[in-house]
Amino acid sequence: MSWILIKLAWKNLFRHKRRSIIAATAMGIGLAALIFADALWLGMERNMVKTATASFLGDAQIHREGFSEEQAVELTVNQLDAVVANLRREGIVAHFTLRTFAFGMITSPATVAAVNLVGVEPSTEQYLSQIDDAIVEGAYFEGLNSRDIVMGEELAERLEVGLNDRIVVTMAQAGSGYLSQEMFRVSGIYRFADEGMNSGMAFIRLGKAQQMLALGAGAHEIALKFIDSTSAEDQSLLFWKTYSQGGNKARSWTEVLPEVQAMFEMSKFSKYIMGFVLFGVVVFGIVNTLFMSLYERMFEFGVLRAIGTRPFGMARLILFEAGALAVLGIILGTIFGFCVTLIFSTIGIDYTGIEMMGITMQELIYPDLRIQPFIFYSIWIFVFTIIAGLYPARSAAKMSAATAMRRSF
């Protein structure tokens, strides 16, 4: 009986091809829009995480407790040698590097600027940041000169200095607070899409920074890159507990940038809201299509009732037609969604230079083509279509033979 109803539903669906195709196309466009929006947002999330972690942040960081809040120069990582030795044996860690941070002054012949001076180890820093790739003038710490300094393009313009110009760097030493001054040579100038890194940061060698800050062999931060970047989002890993002992604190990028993680969580709700809006628009089209089909075949329904078809059988026929319409819409939507998403996942979408939650896009966004949205949204389209079909199905079930046949003349 069900097979007969399926065949009859498909036959009735195409009795008015134009109307059915228009309704199915509208449904398909809604489904394709949801699939593409989902893929685009996944691609945007991946791009934002990559931009934030690969440019400088890293997948995770280890600090002395309180350093992130106070930025005190004397708060270096406790038992640094032991922590470094353990990190070398960690199977999930691909690379790590040591850094120092200090607020200081850079004096040029033209002016003075307050900056965040970062001490880095060039040989390991290249795996954690993209500073070496962003160099537009000069080089990224070539040779062994300990007085080389690399700064952002905007900072160089503000100081009115260029490549090989001499500047004086002033920092306060840990503990005593005595000022330490050294002359440096501008060896490299970089350009990032992030305005803060361009205008407010400068990089010197780790050894020189430790000497000027009187830190000995200490460091303020250990930046980490995991073999699998998704490990940073897994808070159940033993790694976090292991390296959050002895006065230190290990944090993933989700803790360093909580506003970004919160935005990702909110995006899930926004996708659901958009889905309900699109489904709501589609529902009206489905109900209209089914009612028009119902009134056009009023005489047929009257005959069916007259020969003894039960109300449930009448309702089932309408619901099978709604299901057939949903299947047609899903097929069209899947094809549309796949084609559009595949095209843009190949060519990308240019959002470079746009800032979101403090992260400036530096690369093209490529929508993430996955199978899950096709299945998830298709199921919901089918379910909503069946729900929408309950109203016309109820009208067909309540219809009497005499009334149906009288309305048909």
Side-chain angles (χ1 to χ4, degrees), residues 25-60:
T25 301
M27 193 184 307
I29 291 173
L31 176 59
L34 286 171
I35 290 171
F36 178 72
D38 192 282
L40 177 62
W41 188 255
L42 287 173
M44 188 177 295
E45 285 186 1
R46 184 176 59 190
N47 187 294
M48 291 178 68
V49 171
K50 181 181 178 181
T51 299
T53 59
S55 60
F56 183 71
L57 186 69
D59 292 332

Side-chain angles (χ1 to χ4, degrees), residues 69-114:
E69 295 77 21
E70 300 176 23
Q71 295 290 308
V73 179
E74 59 272 10
L75 294 179
T76 56
V77 177
N78 279 331
Q79 300 176 345
L80 181 62
D81 292 339
V83 173
V84 169
N86 290 334
L87 285 174
R88 288 198 175 103
R89 294 192 294 267
E90 283 289 345
I92 64 172
V93 176
H95 302 284
F96 66 89
T97 190
L98 306 182
R99 295 169 178 163
T100 63
F101 291 88
F103 293 106
M105 302 291 292
I106 294 181
T107 305
S108 72
T111 185
V112 178

